[in-house]
């Protein structure tokens, strides 16, 4: 039948189109169906991006012994008995507190990490048991600006602790604040005894502060409560940018060896609670030459004698010392608690400037010496006969010796006696 033959091909094409449409619809449904699994590696990149399942990068882990705040960029590892710096510190850290732990040594490269801690600005290591800080301990911290090593009994602070292992080639440190309060070791841990150990400790700290050009940009330095007796020579020579220097609560008895001349930016100098007795004209002239400095001198045992006259006159005229009205005499006894600003030149003399306890000591020493002299004279008196005999024996021996010399001289001086002596020998 012609009608039936003409419809066969048309019907076959229609069925083929319907099958293709069904396959397309089935693929679209399967692609849009929800799935909780992560796309496999066989999934095409186009289908993976189209699915919208891109995950954000995972957050950095916080060390187990620490507390971390990514928003504040702060990590605190406080009182956790850590023996070393944690190795898995997050790279975002800007403020790091490692206080109250059990670290005894800070080795070279202690903060070397991958990725490096380039954003770390504030590092607090106070209150540990650090005894040694090695050269290059703070390498790999290019942004470090504030460092606190207070309350650690440092027996070995490397001269290159802040300058890297080689100060001659290392770049200047980025430090602007360095806090070294109460880093003096106990007396039984100092080398070579108490006084010699203190001298060695002062030299160690001075070497670390003046090593190379590392601390050229330092603005704030604290060295309080370290029992310093003297400031080592050239301690401040390599710190031209210093603005704040805290030396309070030491045992400074003099500033003779210290020079402040190059600290042209110095604004605050704290010398309270030391053992200063008088300031010499050279020091006063240096302070007067600094444009912005304020010096704090309260609670020192000032000796108000004739050597204090120049300092008193300077205090009355200067504005460098804000607390000058509170400065009072400690010695002599008759001047105790008198304000320095109330003194006149007639009040300052050099009589009886020693405290009573010291005067008593000198009297006792004089009595002891007098007693020793009396005993010596008594021994001489009791042995006067023996001493006289001994003196006679010495005199006779000297006389015989001199007679022998005289006889030889006469023979040599007279040619006849010389020839006679020669003929006798023949």
């Amino acid at each position: 039948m012609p009608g039936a033959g003409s419809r066969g091909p048309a019907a076959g094409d229609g069925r083929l189109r319907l099958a293709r449409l069904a396959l397309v619809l089935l693929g679209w449904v399967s692609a849009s169906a929800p799935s909780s699994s992560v796309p496999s590696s066989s999934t095409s990149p186009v289908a993976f991006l189209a699915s919208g399942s891109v995950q954000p990068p995972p957050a950095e882990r916080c060390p187990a012994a620490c507390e971390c705040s990514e928003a504040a960029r702060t990590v605190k590892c406080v009182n956790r008995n850590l023996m070393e710096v944690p190795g898995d510190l997050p790279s975002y850290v800007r403020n790091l507190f490692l206080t109250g732990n059990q670290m005894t040594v800070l080795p070279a490269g202690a903060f070397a990490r991958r990725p490096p801690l380039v954003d770390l600005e504030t590092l607090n290591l106070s209150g540990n048991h650090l005894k040694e800080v090695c050269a290059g301990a703070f390498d790999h911290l290019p942004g470090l600006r504030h460092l606190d090593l207070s309350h650690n009994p440092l027996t070995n602070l490397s001269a290159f602790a802040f300058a890297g292992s080689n100060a001659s080639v290392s770049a200047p440190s980025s430090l602007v604040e360095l806090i070294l309060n109460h880093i003096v070791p106990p007396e039984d841990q100092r080398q070579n005894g108490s006084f010699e150990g203190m001298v060695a400790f002062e030299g160690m700290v001075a070497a670390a502060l003046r090593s190379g050009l590392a601390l050229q940009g330092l603005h704030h330095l604290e060295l309080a409560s370290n029992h310093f007796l003297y400031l080592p020579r050239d301690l401040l020579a390599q710190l031209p940018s210093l603005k704040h220097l805290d030396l309070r609560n030491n045992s400074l008895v003099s500033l003779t060896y210290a020079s402040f001349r190059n600290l042209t930016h110095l604004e605050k100098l704290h010398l309270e609670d030391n053992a200063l007795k008088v300031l010499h004209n050279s020091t006063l002239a240096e302070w007067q030459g600094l444009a912005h400095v304020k010096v704090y001198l309260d609670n020192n045992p000032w000796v108000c004698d004739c050597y204090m006259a120049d300092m008193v006159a300077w205090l009355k005229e200067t504005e460098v010392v804000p607390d000058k009205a509170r400065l009072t005499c400690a010695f002599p006894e008759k001047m105790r608690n008198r304000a320095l600003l109330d003194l006149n030149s007639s009040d300052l003399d050099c009589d009886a400037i020693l405290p009573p306890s010291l005067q008593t000591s000198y009297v006792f020493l004089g009595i002891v010496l007098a007693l020793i002299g009396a005993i010596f004279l008594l021994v001489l008196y009791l042995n006067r006969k023996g001493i006289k005999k001994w003196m006679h024996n010495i005199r006779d021996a000297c006389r015989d010796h001199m007679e022998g010399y005289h006889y030889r001289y006469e023979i040599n001086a007279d040619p006849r006696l010389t020839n006679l002596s020669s003929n006798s020998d023949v």
Side-chain angles (χ1 to χ4, degrees):
M1 296 175 21
S6 63
R7 288 193 302 269
D13 293 340
R15 286 195 295 273
L16 182 59
R17 286 194 294 270
L18 289 174
R20 290 175 178 173
L21 180 60
L23 290 173
V24 171
L25 291 174
L26 182 61
W28 177 80
V29 171
S30 63
S32 61
S35 175
S36 60
S37 62
V38 178
S40 65
S41 60
S42 63
T43 306
S44 65
V46 176
F48 178 72
L49 292 174
S51 66
S53 59
V54 178
Q55 300 293 329
E60 296 186 68
R61 292 190 309 166
C62 182
C66 306
E67 300 175 1
C68 304
S69 172
E70 186 171 359
R73 305 182 69 178
T74 299
V75 175
K76 294 182 178 181
C77 311
V78 180
N79 298 327
R80 296 305 178 92
N81 295 323
L82 297 176
M83 303 297 293
E84 59 183 6
V85 179
D88 52 350
L89 292 170
S91 60
Y92 63 74
V93 62
R94 177 178 293 170
N95 308 300
L96 177 58
F97 297 86
L98 293 169
T99 61
N101 291 290
Q102 300 294 323
M103 293 181 284
T104 57
V105 178
L106 203 62
F111 296 91
R113 300 291 184 274
R114 289 188 178 275
L117 305 177
V118 294
D119 294 329
L120 185 60
E121 293 184 358
T122 301
L123 175 59
N124 192 329
L125 290 164
S126 64
N128 287 286
H129 293 77
L130 285 174
K131 295 182 179 180
E132 182 177 4
V133 178
C134 300
F138 305 103
D139 284 357
H140 310 286
L141 297 178
L144 185 62
R145 295 174 60 81
H146 310 277
L147 175 60
D148 190 349
L149 288 171
S150 298
H151 299 278
N152 285 293
L154 294 179
T155 56
N156 186 6
L157 177 63
S158 170
F160 304 109
F162 310 118
S165 57
N166 190 345
S168 61
V169 299
S170 61
S173 171
S174 57
L175 279 175
V176 296
E177 181 181 35
L178 179 58
I179 303 177
L180 299 173
N181 296 331
H182 205 288
I183 59 171
V184 60
E187 185 173 344
D188 58 348
Q189 297 181 18
R190 299 176 202 162
Q191 300 178 355
N192 304 321
S194 179
F195 178 76
E196 293 81 0
M198 277 306 308
V199 174
F201 171 75
E202 293 170 2
M204 177 187 71
V205 175
L209 292 178
R210 63 175 178 241
S211 179
L213 305 177
L215 300 178
Q216 291 277 306
L218 192 68
H219 292 170
H220 187 111
L221 176 61
E222 295 187 17
L223 292 168
S225 304
N226 283 314
H227 300 173
F228 285 159
L229 298 173
Y230 293 91
L231 291 182
R233 194 180 301 274
D234 297 332
L235 172 71
L236 309 172
Q238 301 295 335
L239 306 174
S241 302
L242 204 60
K243 295 182 178 180
H244 183 110
L245 178 58
D246 192 343
L247 293 166
R248 75 185 83 192
N249 198 31
N250 282 287
S251 301
L252 295 173
V253 297
S254 175
L255 300 176
T256 303
Y257 301 113
S259 176
F260 303 89
R261 186 177 295 107
N262 67 316
L263 303 182
T264 55
H265 302 284
L266 190 63
E267 297 177 359
K268 289 186 178 180
L269 174 59
H270 288 275
L271 291 166
E272 305 100 308
D273 300 292
N274 277 281
L276 297 172
K277 296 175 176 58
V278 68
L279 297 174
H280 299 290
N281 288 338
S282 57
T283 301
L284 303 179
E286 287 186 358
W287 290 349
Q288 197 63 43
L290 300 177
H292 311 291
V293 71
K294 298 296 181 185
V295 184
Y296 299 87
L297 297 169
D298 195 18
N299 203 20
N300 279 281
W302 304 109
V303 177
C304 297
D305 59 6
C306 55
Y307 300 103
M308 177 65 72
D310 291 338
M311 179 179 168
V312 170
W314 178 79
L315 285 173
K316 291 180 178 180
E317 298 178 358
T318 188
E319 298 298 328
V320 170
V321 185
D323 60 350
K324 61 183 180 180
R326 297 198 298 270
L327 305 184
T328 58
C329 302
F331 302 106
E333 185 67 28
K334 65 179 182 179
M335 304 287 287
R336 178 164 297 187
N337 295 328
R338 287 193 59 180
L340 266 60
L341 294 181
D342 295 338
L343 299 179
N344 299 316
S345 57
S346 58
D347 299 323
L348 301 173
D349 57 61
C350 289
D351 296 331
I353 62 173
L354 295 177
S357 58
L358 196 56
Q359 294 178 20
T360 303
S361 300
Y362 280 123
V363 171
F364 179 74
L365 179 62
I367 294 174
V368 170
L369 293 176
L371 182 61
I372 293 174
I375 294 174
F376 178 73
L377 293 176
L378 179 62
V379 170
L380 291 178
Y381 177 76
L382 294 177
N383 292 275
R384 61 189 183 277
K385 294 182 178 180
I387 294 173
K388 184 177 181 180
K389 182 179 180 181
W390 178 70
M391 293 294 293
H392 283 302
N393 292 336
I394 292 178
R395 184 188 63 184
D396 293 341
C398 292
R399 180 185 299 163
D400 295 341
H401 196 65
M402 293 303 296
E403 286 179 352
Y405 273 116
H406 183 69
Y407 176 72
R408 291 177 185 175
Y409 174 76
E410 288 181 347
I411 292 176
N412 293 333
D414 191 339
R416 295 173 299 175
L417 295 178
T418 301
N419 295 330
L420 179 61
S421 177
S422 300
N423 294 331
S424 300
D425 294 336
V426 172

